[in-house]
Amino acid sequence: MKILPDIQAIHKEMTEWRHRIHMHPETAFEEFQTSDFVAEKLESFGLEVHRGLAKTGVVGTLKSGTGNRAIGLRADMDALDLQELNEFDHRSQIDGKMHGCGHDGHTVMLLGAAKYLAESKNFDGTIQFIFQPAEENVAGGRVMISDGLFDLFPVDSVYGMHNMPGFEEGQFAVRKGPLMASADFFEATIVGSGGHGAFPHQTIDPIVVACEVVGAWQKIVSRNVDPLKSAVVTVGEFHGGNTGNVIPEQVTLSGTTRSFDPDVQDMIEKNMKQILNGICDAYGAKAEFKYERRYAATVNSPDETDEAIATAQELVGVAAVDTDTVPVMGAEDFSWMLKERPGCYIMIANGAGEGSCHIHNPNYDFNDRILPLGASYWARLAERILSTEAS
Ligand SMILES: [Zn+2]
Ligand SMILES: [Zn+2]
């Protein structure tokens, strides 16, 4: 493995940073200590630092040479609302909050690269180091875009990375095209007419109507989506009634849909609404429907993915980079940055086997051994794209 020696030399320092962040997990838009730490580090490396995008976001700008090419490298900083079960010294000090997705490691890998690149400056152009809040649940990446991220910090392309347990450390996985699904969220309210459970003929029973709706929605995936494409319609909440002998006034249903293809996404939204209104009409109930497109599909562009693959292969060898990994139905708000600029999102292995558990598990921990590899990936990717020879 070809870890950059100057990055290997700061492995211990990066591990200390990671443990410090892990001990103080902060969730969506409240990454105050974390963003202070990131901003202080970037300033100490000599970067120009901008704060306040999406409330707690931090952008560090590093320039070298005279070229006007620019790239963005992005890490997420937020933790989860999850009680950590680990008992090691660097476990979370905050009840009910935990870095259970490894964003502490993502932050540190990018900081390590910033330190190295600020010292070596072996590139020509501008690197924007983007540290974003609130990746989990509320799509802080989208807020950074609407707050003007790429107007204030123009880039030609943008890159992201996530750790992934379940494959051997020293490996990467990526693919051109869709890598992760869009995640939309919906809420339907079905208003009937309540009454006595023994006199259903005097009511419009919203529970019976809602059951029909849930069943019919499932047929969107089986009957309306091209069988060679993928989608999910999940009703995760079904609320109505609170006692056995009363037919309630209304039922609310909420859940999530996933897809990769914008046409499929449009069709799902349209058909869900049509089915809901049609069934409610048939039974004389009224319907309200809210549908939010919270996470776009994460779609890697071809040329930028080639750069990412070449960088990863240079570090770990051709065989250790899965260049056609299977897409997943999970979602990622880096997608909003990829909608604005071409780029690539890559998975770095967090390790497999004993002691390894999946992200969002209360026993998960980011693997400190991969910090220098992740930082080297960022550094070499920047040096490759902003090569001094090509300018
Ligand atoms: Zn997560
Ligand atoms: Zn994550």
Side-chain angles (χ1 to χ4, degrees), residues 166-180:
F167 66 125
E168 294 297 333
E169 67 185 68
Q171 298 186 359
F172 289 88
V174 70
R175 78 188 297 270
K176 293 176 187 176
L179 179 67
M180 300 180 83

Side-chain angles (χ1 to χ4, degrees), residues 76 101 103 106 135-136 162:
D76 39 17
C101 203
H103 300 182
H106 301 167
E135 192 284 322
E136 304 283 356
H162 206 293

